[in-house]
Amino acid sequence: MSKISSDTLWEQAAAEVHSREAAGGEEDRGEAVSERTVFLMGSKAGGKTAILHRCLDRDEPSKPTLALEYTFGRRARGHSTPKDIAHLWELGGGTSLSDLVQIPISAVSISSLSVILILDLSKPNALWGTMEKLLQAAQNQFEKVSSQAQQAQKAKHQTPVQPAARVFPKDYPDRELISPFPVPLLIIGSKYDIFQEFDSDKRKVVCKTLRFIAHYYAASLIFTNIKSESLMSKTKSFFSHLAFGMERGKTVSCDSTKPLVIPAGSDSFSQIGSPHTTDVDITSLHAKNPKDLWKKVYERVFPPENTSEQRELRDPAKDPQYSELQIDAMRAQKDQELEQYKRNASQSWKGLELT
């Protein structure tokens, strides 16, 4: 193609774009497409992918998430309007791959980012550890991004500007006592169908603890079950609020005998009360702060899982979630060949030393 025809083609394309924009009418002018980022993380095999597919109305079978996966969702605000875009990142492997938070939490995304933490209610012994490690990893990355941005401004001889903090109304419950998460946070308790069969006292411990954590971080909290249309409808409402800025449902349920549905700002420490204990003297726990007290009480009821097993599975090749019969068999054969090679090489070097 000659340069003249190429230039003409680009001019025609540009003219076509301008004509389409003009055809949108006066009411569409200035209406920019909104782009937001939502980062999902949580319990291993806790139902993150299944929940995400339901929220996006995708009828797809759920597969184990490989490390960190990206997808996107689109939604129109009205008839003949641009579709808003939600960039969706999902972290697999539970806590074992928490280092990967640095990819979705970046200087580019931070201004429009929300985080969804999905915790498996059917495995309460792993719940606190999963929550604590993933939220801490995310917070560390937020601090790192903020620090790098300030250093870059100093290098350009500009006055460092602190990232915009979340703004809360003056009447927000316990405003002076909470420690808001850097960005909007939604905590989802999954597999409620299994959890509801638990002993009543154990359910109360989990419910009160998650209510405390959610309020402490100024987060929303909802329990769900992908088999329940009613619960998934409420969950989708919370998701759409973060992903597309849609109106969030006004339902509030703090009753531990029912699925919790608590939008941020709808709870308070006075309503939550003290940690649910039956045989523990709180004063004997020597907690450093309220959050540490809740942790100690929770772990008395639900001792944390063996961490040595978690360290062992840090290598995804050893994780049964990603097992592939033929590949694993070939890998085992190659490992044996490598060990044999090492032994032969070692004997060869010893022979050379003797000679």
Side-chain angles (χ1 to χ4, degrees):
M1 182 182 290
S2 67
K3 185 176 186 304
I4 294 175
S5 60
S6 175
D7 289 344
T8 304
L9 183 61
W10 283 114
E11 289 169 1
Q12 290 175 349
E16 176 68 16
V17 170
H18 289 312
S19 66
R20 289 184 181 181
E21 289 177 347
E26 291 294 327
E27 69 275 10
D28 290 341
R29 289 184 181 175
E31 188 170 2
V33 171
S34 168
E35 291 194 38
R36 300 168 187 247
T37 301
V38 181
F39 175 37
L40 292 88
M41 58 184 184
S43 304
K44 181 178 176 182
K48 297 183 292 295
T49 305
I51 291 172
L52 179 59
H53 283 176
R54 290 292 301 275
C55 289
L56 293 173
D57 295 323
R58 292 181 182 173
D59 186 15
E60 302 175 16
S62 300
K63 298 178 181 178
T65 302
L66 298 174
L68 182 69
E69 295 188 0
Y70 169 83
T71 186
F72 67 92
R74 301 177 69 193
R75 182 164 189 160
R77 277 171 277 181
H79 183 64
S80 299
T81 59
K83 286 187 176 181
D84 294 335
I85 300 171
H87 302 283
L88 308 168
W89 294 91
E90 182 187 346
L91 179 68
T95 61
S96 64
L97 300 172
S98 58
D99 294 346
L100 295 178
V101 300
Q102 61 187 302
I103 296 173
I105 302 176
S106 66
V108 175
S109 68
I110 198 169
S111 62
S112 61
L113 181 68
S114 301
V115 172
I116 297 178
L117 176 67
I118 298 177
L119 299 173
D120 187 345
L121 296 174
S122 72
K123 297 177 180 177
N125 295 76
L127 190 147
W128 186 283
T130 298
M131 176 272 299
E132 186 174 52
K133 183 168 183 178
L134 289 176
L135 290 184
Q136 189 59 57
Q139 286 185 303
N140 291 344
Q141 179 61 16
F142 282 120
E143 292 173 6
K144 184 178 178 181
V145 169
S146 173
S147 175
Q148 289 173 342
Q150 291 183 48
Q151 289 174 3
Q153 288 169 342
K154 284 182 180 179
K156 294 177 181 178
H157 305 291
Q158 297 175 348
T159 303
V161 178
Q162 291 286 345
R166 294 172 65 190
V167 179
F168 297 93
K170 291 183 179 179
D171 60 349
Y172 193 94
D174 308 308
R175 183 178 174 183
E176 303 300 322
L177 302 175
I178 61 176
S179 179
F181 200 66
V183 298
L185 172 66
L186 169 62
I187 299 175
I188 299 177
S190 65
K191 303 187 182 180
Y192 180 77
D193 53 325
I194 300 175
F195 175 73
Q196 67 181 345
E197 302 299 328
F198 281 21
D199 173 75
S200 173
D201 281 340
K202 289 188 175 181
R203 282 206 317 271
K204 285 180 181 176
V205 172
V206 174
C207 289
K208 291 190 73 171
T209 301
L210 286 180
R211 283 179 65 188
F212 169 82
I213 289 298
H215 186 54
Y216 180 79
Y217 285 117
S220 295
L221 173 65
I222 185 169
F223 287 179
T224 197
N225 164 24
I226 59 170
K227 300 171 187 173
S228 166
E229 291 298 328
S230 173
L231 289 179
M232 279 310 306
S233 176
K234 294 182 177 72
T235 305
K236 185 177 178 180
S237 173
F238 277 84
F239 171 83
S240 297
H241 176 69
L242 297 180
F244 303 108
M246 308 293 289
E247 283 294 320
R248 187 177 56 198
K250 297 181 180 180
T251 303
V252 178
S253 173
C254 301
D255 187 349
S256 63
T257 64
K258 300 175 182 178
L260 298 183
V261 183
I262 309 176
S266 302
D267 214 344
S268 67
F269 290 137
S270 61
Q271 287 178 296
I272 297 167
S274 59
H276 185 77
T277 59
T278 51
D279 56 349
V280 181
D281 179 9
I282 290 180
T283 58
S284 68
L285 297 177
H286 306 294
K288 296 177 287 187
N289 51 54
K291 184 167 163 241
D292 189 46
L293 173 63
W294 281 84
K295 176 181 179 179
K296 289 180 182 296
V297 171
Y298 185 87
E299 292 187 341
R300 281 286 186 96
V301 181
F302 300 107
E305 292 184 329
N306 187 357
T307 54
S308 62
E309 181 182 350
Q310 294 173 351
R311 283 197 297 269
E312 176 72 16
L313 293 178
R314 188 168 178 81
D315 179 2
K318 299 177 181 178
D319 193 331
Q321 181 181 197
Y322 308 124
S323 62
E324 292 283 352
L325 187 60
Q326 292 179 326
I327 295 175
D328 292 343
M330 182 60 71
R331 169 69 184 263
Q333 179 184 329
K334 292 299 180 183
D335 285 343
Q336 290 177 354
E337 292 175 1
L338 178 60
E339 288 302 317
Q340 185 63 44
Y341 173 80
K342 287 179 179 178
R343 286 194 291 269
N344 293 342
S346 176
Q347 291 172 359
S348 299
W349 280 106
K350 287 178 181 177
L352 287 172
E353 288 171 4
L354 289 173
T355 303

PDB file of all heavy atoms in Angstrom, residues 130-143:
ATOM      1  N   THR A 130      -5.752 -16.639  57.161  1.00  0.00           N
ATOM      2  CA  THR A 130      -5.924 -16.219  55.769  1.00  0.00           C
ATOM      3  C   THR A 130      -6.236 -14.734  55.683  1.00  0.00           C
ATOM      4  O   THR A 130      -5.620 -13.992  54.904  1.00  0.00           O
ATOM      5  CB  THR A 130      -7.063 -17.024  55.106  1.00  0.00           C
ATOM      6  OG1 THR A 130      -6.718 -18.411  55.110  1.00  0.00           O
ATOM      7  CG2 THR A 130      -7.301 -16.561  53.677  1.00  0.00           C
ATOM      8  N   MET A 131      -7.187 -14.308  56.501  1.00  0.00           N
ATOM      9  CA  MET A 131      -7.575 -12.895  56.507  1.00  0.00           C
ATOM     10  C   MET A 131      -6.402 -11.996  56.876  1.00  0.00           C
ATOM     11  O   MET A 131      -6.102 -11.009  56.193  1.00  0.00           O
ATOM     12  CB  MET A 131      -8.729 -12.705  57.502  1.00  0.00           C
ATOM     13  CG  MET A 131      -9.205 -11.277  57.705  1.00  0.00           C
ATOM     14  SD  MET A 131      -8.289 -10.382  58.996  1.00  0.00           S
ATOM     15  CE  MET A 131      -8.647 -11.377  60.435  1.00  0.00           C
ATOM     16  N   GLU A 132      -5.708 -12.356  57.932  1.00  0.00           N
ATOM     17  CA  GLU A 132      -4.620 -11.514  58.440  1.00  0.00           C
ATOM     18  C   GLU A 132      -3.474 -11.393  57.433  1.00  0.00           C
ATOM     19  O   GLU A 132      -2.983 -10.289  57.155  1.00  0.00           O
ATOM     20  CB  GLU A 132      -4.102 -12.089  59.761  1.00  0.00           C
ATOM     21  CG  GLU A 132      -3.067 -11.229  60.459  1.00  0.00           C
ATOM     22  CD  GLU A 132      -2.716 -11.799  61.818  1.00  0.00           C
ATOM     23  OE1 GLU A 132      -2.381 -13.002  61.910  1.00  0.00           O
ATOM     24  OE2 GLU A 132      -2.772 -11.041  62.805  1.00  0.00           O
ATOM     25  N   LYS A 133      -3.058 -12.518  56.864  1.00  0.00           N
ATOM     26  CA  LYS A 133      -1.912 -12.482  55.954  1.00  0.00           C
ATOM     27  C   LYS A 133      -2.235 -11.742  54.662  1.00  0.00           C
ATOM     28  O   LYS A 133      -1.424 -10.949  54.169  1.00  0.00           O
ATOM     29  CB  LYS A 133      -1.452 -13.907  55.630  1.00  0.00           C
ATOM     30  CG  LYS A 133      -0.215 -13.920  54.730  1.00  0.00           C
ATOM     31  CD  LYS A 133       0.424 -15.281  54.618  1.00  0.00           C
ATOM     32  CE  LYS A 133       1.696 -15.195  53.759  1.00  0.00           C
ATOM     33  NZ  LYS A 133       2.385 -16.494  53.648  1.00  0.00           N
ATOM     34  N   LEU A 134      -3.408 -11.978  54.092  1.00  0.00           N
ATOM     35  CA  LEU A 134      -3.740 -11.341  52.816  1.00  0.00           C
ATOM     36  C   LEU A 134      -3.973  -9.837  52.976  1.00  0.00           C
ATOM     37  O   LEU A 134      -3.504  -9.036  52.154  1.00  0.00           O
ATOM     38  CB  LEU A 134      -4.974 -12.008  52.209  1.00  0.00           C
ATOM     39  CG  LEU A 134      -4.751 -13.428  51.673  1.00  0.00           C
ATOM     40  CD1 LEU A 134      -6.063 -14.023  51.183  1.00  0.00           C
ATOM     41  CD2 LEU A 134      -3.714 -13.442  50.550  1.00  0.00           C
ATOM     42  N   LEU A 135      -4.666  -9.429  54.041  1.00  0.00           N
ATOM     43  CA  LEU A 135      -4.889  -7.998  54.250  1.00  0.00           C
ATOM     44  C   LEU A 135      -3.568  -7.286  54.555  1.00  0.00           C
ATOM     45  O   LEU A 135      -3.354  -6.156  54.104  1.00  0.00           O
ATOM     46  CB  LEU A 135      -5.892  -7.770  55.376  1.00  0.00           C
ATOM     47  CG  LEU A 135      -7.343  -8.151  55.081  1.00  0.00           C
ATOM     48  CD1 LEU A 135      -8.245  -7.784  56.256  1.00  0.00           C
ATOM     49  CD2 LEU A 135      -7.854  -7.478  53.812  1.00  0.00           C
ATOM     50  N   GLN A 136      -2.686  -7.955  55.301  1.00  0.00           N
ATOM     51  CA  GLN A 136      -1.393  -7.343  55.601  1.00  0.00           C
ATOM     52  C   GLN A 136      -0.545  -7.203  54.341  1.00  0.00           C
ATOM     53  O   GLN A 136       0.116  -6.175  54.130  1.00  0.00           O
ATOM     54  CB  GLN A 136      -0.640  -8.175  56.644  1.00  0.00           C
ATOM     55  CG  GLN A 136       0.615  -7.496  57.180  1.00  0.00           C
ATOM     56  CD  GLN A 136       0.331  -6.167  57.834  1.00  0.00           C
ATOM     57  OE1 GLN A 136      -0.462  -6.088  58.773  1.00  0.00           O
ATOM     58  NE2 GLN A 136       0.947  -5.101  57.343  1.00  0.00           N
ATOM     59  N   ALA A 137      -0.562  -8.225  53.488  1.00  0.00           N
ATOM     60  CA  ALA A 137       0.185  -8.163  52.228  1.00  0.00           C
ATOM     61  C   ALA A 137      -0.328  -7.015  51.357  1.00  0.00           C
ATOM     62  O   ALA A 137       0.457  -6.278  50.736  1.00  0.00           O
ATOM     63  CB  ALA A 137       0.064  -9.489  51.470  1.00  0.00           C
ATOM     64  N   ALA A 138      -1.649  -6.860  51.310  1.00  0.00           N
ATOM     65  CA  ALA A 138      -2.237  -5.780  50.518  1.00  0.00           C
ATOM     66  C   ALA A 138      -1.868  -4.417  51.104  1.00  0.00           C
ATOM     67  O   ALA A 138      -1.488  -3.490  50.373  1.00  0.00           O
ATOM     68  CB  ALA A 138      -3.755  -5.937  50.453  1.00  0.00           C
ATOM     69  N   GLN A 139      -1.954  -4.277  52.433  1.00  0.00           N
ATOM     70  CA  GLN A 139      -1.622  -3.004  53.064  1.00  0.00           C
ATOM     71  C   GLN A 139      -0.151  -2.637  52.859  1.00  0.00           C
ATOM     72  O   GLN A 139       0.177  -1.473  52.615  1.00  0.00           O
ATOM     73  CB  GLN A 139      -1.953  -3.047  54.556  1.00  0.00           C
ATOM     74  CG  GLN A 139      -3.452  -2.962  54.842  1.00  0.00           C
ATOM     75  CD  GLN A 139      -3.762  -2.887  56.325  1.00  0.00           C
ATOM     76  OE1 GLN A 139      -3.373  -3.770  57.080  1.00  0.00           O
ATOM     77  NE2 GLN A 139      -4.467  -1.848  56.740  1.00  0.00           N
ATOM     78  N   ASN A 140       0.719  -3.633  52.941  1.00  0.00           N
ATOM     79  CA  ASN A 140       2.145  -3.382  52.701  1.00  0.00           C
ATOM     80  C   ASN A 140       2.376  -2.861  51.288  1.00  0.00           C
ATOM     81  O   ASN A 140       3.195  -1.967  51.073  1.00  0.00           O
ATOM     82  CB  ASN A 140       2.960  -4.656  52.927  1.00  0.00           C
ATOM     83  CG  ASN A 140       3.014  -5.069  54.381  1.00  0.00           C
ATOM     84  OD1 ASN A 140       2.701  -4.273  55.276  1.00  0.00           O
ATOM     85  ND2 ASN A 140       3.412  -6.304  54.635  1.00  0.00           N
ATOM     86  N   GLN A 141       1.650  -3.419  50.329  1.00  0.00           N
ATOM     87  CA  GLN A 141       1.794  -2.983  48.940  1.00  0.00           C
ATOM     88  C   GLN A 141       1.248  -1.565  48.758  1.00  0.00           C
ATOM     89  O   GLN A 141       1.839  -0.763  48.026  1.00  0.00           O
ATOM     90  CB  GLN A 141       1.094  -3.960  48.000  1.00  0.00           C
ATOM     91  CG  GLN A 141       1.168  -3.593  46.521  1.00  0.00           C
ATOM     92  CD  GLN A 141       2.582  -3.526  45.969  1.00  0.00           C
ATOM     93  OE1 GLN A 141       3.528  -4.030  46.585  1.00  0.00           O
ATOM     94  NE2 GLN A 141       2.742  -2.894  44.821  1.00  0.00           N
ATOM     95  N   PHE A 142       0.137  -1.246  49.426  1.00  0.00           N
ATOM     96  CA  PHE A 142      -0.393   0.121  49.359  1.00  0.00           C
ATOM     97  C   PHE A 142       0.640   1.117  49.872  1.00  0.00           C
ATOM     98  O   PHE A 142       0.859   2.174  49.276  1.00  0.00           O
ATOM     99  CB  PHE A 142      -1.680   0.236  50.181  1.00  0.00           C
ATOM    100  CG  PHE A 142      -2.901  -0.321  49.499  1.00  0.00           C
ATOM    101  CD1 PHE A 142      -3.613  -1.360  50.064  1.00  0.00           C
ATOM    102  CD2 PHE A 142      -3.334   0.190  48.287  1.00  0.00           C
ATOM    103  CE1 PHE A 142      -4.737  -1.884  49.438  1.00  0.00           C
ATOM    104  CE2 PHE A 142      -4.459  -0.321  47.652  1.00  0.00           C
ATOM    105  CZ  PHE A 142      -5.158  -1.365  48.230  1.00  0.00           C
ATOM    106  N   GLU A 143       1.280   0.780  50.998  1.00  0.00           N
ATOM    107  CA  GLU A 143       2.298   1.663  51.577  1.00  0.00           C
ATOM    108  C   GLU A 143       3.492   1.808  50.641  1.00  0.00           C
ATOM    109  O   GLU A 143       4.044   2.897  50.488  1.00  0.00           O
ATOM    110  CB  GLU A 143       2.739   1.116  52.937  1.00  0.00           C
ATOM    111  CG  GLU A 143       1.666   1.186  54.000  1.00  0.00           C
ATOM    112  CD  GLU A 143       2.069   0.484  55.285  1.00  0.00           C
ATOM    113  OE1 GLU A 143       3.237   0.039  55.373  1.00  0.00           O
ATOM    114  OE2 GLU A 143       1.225   0.361  56.194  1.00  0.00           O
TER     115      GLU A 143
END
